[in-house]
Amino acid sequence: MAEFIAEYGSLLLQGTIDSIVMTALATLFAYVFGLPLGILVTITQEHSILPCKPVNVVLGWIVNIGRSIPFIILLVFLMPFTRALVGTATGVRGAIVPLVIAATPFVARIVETSLLEVEAGLIEVAHAVGATVKQIVFKVMLPEAKPSILVGVPLTFITLLGYSAMAGAVGAGGLGDIAIRYGYYRYQDIVMFATIVLIVIIVQIIQSGGMWFAKKNDKRIRK
Amino acid sequence: MIEIKNLSKIYNTNYGEFKALEDINITINDGDIFGIIGMSGAGKSTLLRCINLLEKPSSGHVVIDGQDITGFAGSQLLQLRRNIGMVFQRFNLLMQRTVKDNVAFPLEICGVPKADRDKRVAELLELVGLADKANNYPVQLSGGQQQRVAIARALANNPGIILCDEPTSALDSLTTSSLLQLLKEINEKLGVTIVIITHEMSVVNKICNRVAVINDARIIEQGVTKEVFSNPQHEMTKLLLSDLIVVKGGEN
Ligand SMILES: Nc1ncnc2c1ncn2[C@@H]1O[C@H](COP(=O)(O)OP(=O)(O)OP(=O)(O)O)[C@@H](O)[C@H]1O
Ligand SMILES: [Mg+2]
């Protein structure tokens, strides 16, 4: 065991850090783009607060197309674009671009689902007090959907962690990269096993930490 | 004064046109507590919602204090709504906001500065008897308390009119009585005109000085509560009232 740690410890540590940084950054950017997109997709729906069919249909398409392309294909397909944007298509930096593009429509959909859970009665209250569309979004829809939106964050992170491991296949760094290089090409099963254990641990921590945080922020739960 | 003139509302549904309101004429005077009663589906909520244009009338007019508001849109409409309070059957409090922030909500919408908001909210919570619950969340309150918060919220902007859609239907009779008392107090102290929908005749009997009976999209009877109740003209009114008479019989 000590021998194993001496030999692979720093490699696995670096891989873990790379995976987490890559996934966290991708999650952050996915929300930067996905949150507004999700809001727009929701409020432009037929009976919502800013009905606009053309916008809704176009955004719906974008989201659906984005969601239907398998990540591994998107990754390869985007390489020239990635290179043009961040100068490289490999490494942590190169992986973030396809990760963000893959996760943005995913985030938009889960944000939409959360916003649609907000009771119609509350939107009605907002209309009755003369709130503008912007006020309804920022003072009613988002705050009321907040606990549900927060539940989506670990979900996105975990999905992206899986994607980032795939990105490892094209040399994106991180635990997926290590698993493929050592486990697949060099038949060092123990290293591959170690990466699996590490990924499972990360997922557990993010999932339970995320749920705890979302619950803590939900004022509908009696305390 | 609220004048509803020849008002009709037609919904376009998948099954064709549906007349929810037909040729409604009602005058509600300042300071009235005006009851609207009728069977489920008669059109009560639709009528109430036409007053602040949450529902757009298909034809006819709503005139408030001499001004025809039927065509209001944009900022004029928002302004109108800010001066009419509304209370709902299911309270509709913002669950992620504290009691005091719920009451402050309409003030925030109007851009009232924080210091003025706090002062006004404190007054309102005092008025509805919930000063000690200011920092609680709605989930920590009983139904009756939640409705008091909703009433405080409806009063926040000093509206001349409050519209209540079955405000006591989700509450037991004792809580209903105390809420009606509160509405009456508000009406007397602040001179707020209250329009209240209910299916409980006892509610009308207790607080409404005038009442309109709506049946199948039409007003079939209206007038001073005592007169309508002591001498109902229409079969439907008699049917609705039979409920009250039974209750009275039980009390005596
Ligand atoms: N948006 C709508 N589209 C189509 N029909 C509607 C719509 N809103 C209401 N209606 C119909 O109009 C009629 C009157 O509805 P309304 O809600 O005003 O009744 P109500 O008297 O308030 O009944 P309740 O006592 O059950 O609340 C009902 O038949 C209802 O189905
Ligand atoms: Mg109704």
Side-chain angles (χ1 to χ4, degrees):
Chain A
M1 185 73 187
E3 209 178 297
F4 175 77
I5 289 175
E7 191 168 355
Y8 297 110
S10 64
L11 176 79
L12 287 169
L13 181 68
Q14 189 57 46
T16 305
I17 292 170
D18 282 354
S19 280
I20 291 175
V21 168
M22 187 160 51
T23 310
L25 279 176
T27 304
L28 178 72
F29 283 114
Y31 272 88
V32 167
F33 301 116
L35 192 61
L37 185 59
I39 293 170
L40 276 179
V41 168
T42 310
I43 65 175
T44 53
Q45 280 168 24
E46 196 180 343
H47 293 291
S48 194
I49 56 174
L50 192 66
C52 181
K53 194 148 188 201
V55 173
N56 189 258
V57 167
V58 170
L59 293 180
W61 277 347
I62 293 174
V63 169
N64 283 340
I65 291 170
R67 290 206 56 199
S68 49
I69 303 172
F71 179 69
I72 195 85
I73 295 173
L74 188 74
L75 181 72
V76 178
F77 174 75
L78 284 175
M79 274 182 165
F81 173 73
T82 306
R83 221 170 274 129
L85 197 70
V86 294
T88 172
T90 57
V92 172
R93 213 147 56 114
I96 284 180
V97 176
L99 284 175
V100 170
I101 290 175
T104 296
F106 179 79
V107 169
R109 275 290 179 240
I110 51 182
V111 165
E112 178 192 13
T113 310
S114 297
L115 292 176
L116 289 176
E117 281 166 17
V118 175
E119 260 188 72
L122 300 185
I123 311 286
E124 173 136 316
V125 165
H127 280 302
V129 301
T132 60
V133 168
K134 197 173 137 200
Q135 286 173 324
I136 297 177
V137 170
F138 289 101
K139 288 186 183 288
V140 178
M141 292 174 82
L142 285 175
E144 290 298 312
K146 188 170 112 185
S148 168
I149 291 175
L150 287 175
V151 169
V153 177
L155 193 68
T156 307
F157 185 95
I158 289 164
T159 305
L160 281 179
L161 189 67
Y163 287 179
S164 80
M166 278 190 235
V170 296
L175 291 169
D177 190 26
I178 294 172
I180 287 173
R181 273 194 287 138
Y182 288 78
Y184 186 68
Y185 293 124
R186 299 191 203 165
Y187 304 105
Q188 284 168 336
D189 290 346
I190 182 126
V191 178
M192 182 141 76
F193 184 70
T195 61
I196 292 171
V197 170
L198 285 168
I199 287 176
V200 169
I201 291 172
I202 296 172
V203 167
Q204 288 299 336
I205 291 173
I206 294 293
Q207 181 61 36
S208 39
M211 289 309 284
W212 172 81
F213 189 72
K215 274 215 182 102
K216 196 175 106 106
N217 273 283
D218 191 350
K219 309 304 182 192
R220 284 170 302 185
I221 298 166
R222 281 174 192 252
K223 280 166 226 168
Chain B
M1 191 161 75
I2 308 168
E3 296 158 278
I4 297 168
K5 297 178 178 170
N6 310 109
L7 184 132
S8 297
K9 174 72 190 181
I10 296 165
Y11 287 113
N12 291 310
T13 68
N14 294 340
Y15 314 101
E17 291 193 341
F18 179 84
K19 279 195 174 158
L21 294 174
E22 245 184 300
D23 198 27
I24 305 283
N25 286 285
I26 295 181
T27 300
I28 300 169
N29 296 314
D30 287 345
D32 270 353
I33 301 185
F34 194 98
I36 298 174
I37 60 177
M39 301 285 271
S40 182
K44 306 182 293 293
S45 297
T46 308
L47 176 57
L48 193 77
R49 293 157 54 82
C50 281
I51 298 177
N52 62 353
L53 297 188
L54 281 179
E55 217 62 79
K56 191 123 186 61
S58 305
S59 64
H61 299 272
V62 179
V63 179
I64 297 180
D65 297 333
Q67 193 177 23
D68 189 340
I69 60 133
T70 327
F72 276 19
S75 64
Q76 213 177 13
L77 176 60
L78 297 186
Q79 215 49 54
L80 168 82
R81 287 181 180 160
R82 288 170 186 185
N83 291 315
I84 300 178
M86 201 162 188
V87 177
F88 304 83
Q89 178 175 359
R90 293 181 55 232
F91 324 134
N92 294 359
L93 296 181
L94 297 162
M95 300 308 276
Q96 306 294 339
R97 281 181 177 238
T98 58
V99 163
K100 70 176 196 303
D101 289 345
N102 263 285
V103 179
F105 177 65
L107 302 168
E108 265 179 63
I109 296 300
C110 296
V112 175
K114 174 98 171 64
D116 299 351
R117 277 199 320 250
D118 290 348
K119 195 163 152 268
R120 179 81 184 125
V121 169
E123 281 168 20
L124 288 161
L125 287 178
E126 196 65 50
L127 178 72
V128 300
L130 286 176
D132 56 326
K133 302 282 184 199
N135 292 308
N136 285 59
Y137 285 92
V139 73
Q140 299 162 320
L141 304 185
S142 70
Q145 289 170 330
Q146 290 195 40
Q147 197 61 300
R148 282 171 181 267
V149 176
I151 291 171
R153 176 175 67 185
L155 284 170
N157 278 323
N158 269 315
I161 302 166
I162 294 190
L163 309 174
C164 307
D165 193 345
E166 308 215 24
T168 59
S169 298
L171 305 171
D172 62 61
S173 61
L174 220 61
T175 315
T176 296
S177 290
S178 82
L179 259 160
L180 294 178
Q181 194 53 46
L182 174 65
L183 286 174
K184 196 157 190 175
E185 250 176 63
I186 287 166
N187 168 261
E188 284 165 2
K189 267 200 216 157
L190 310 174
V192 179
T193 304
I194 297 177
V195 186
I196 181 168
I197 291 180
T198 180
H199 63 259
E200 297 162 291
M201 297 311 114
S202 56
V203 169
V204 181
N205 208 24
K206 266 184 199 139
I207 65 165
C208 298
N209 62 323
R210 291 176 64 233
V211 63
V213 186
I214 180 167
N215 185 42
D216 221 353
R218 290 173 172 278
I219 300 285
I220 52 170
E221 203 158 339
Q222 64 176 310
V224 174
T225 306
K226 276 199 195 110
E227 287 164 15
V228 173
F229 275 30
S230 62
N231 189 16
Q233 298 299 307
H234 200 280
E235 280 311 309
M236 180 51 73
T237 317
K238 286 177 193 165
L239 194 66
L240 287 166
L241 283 173
S242 60
D243 179 43
L244 183 68
I245 290 154
V246 172
V247 173
K248 269 196 172 163
E251 274 173 4
N252 292 340

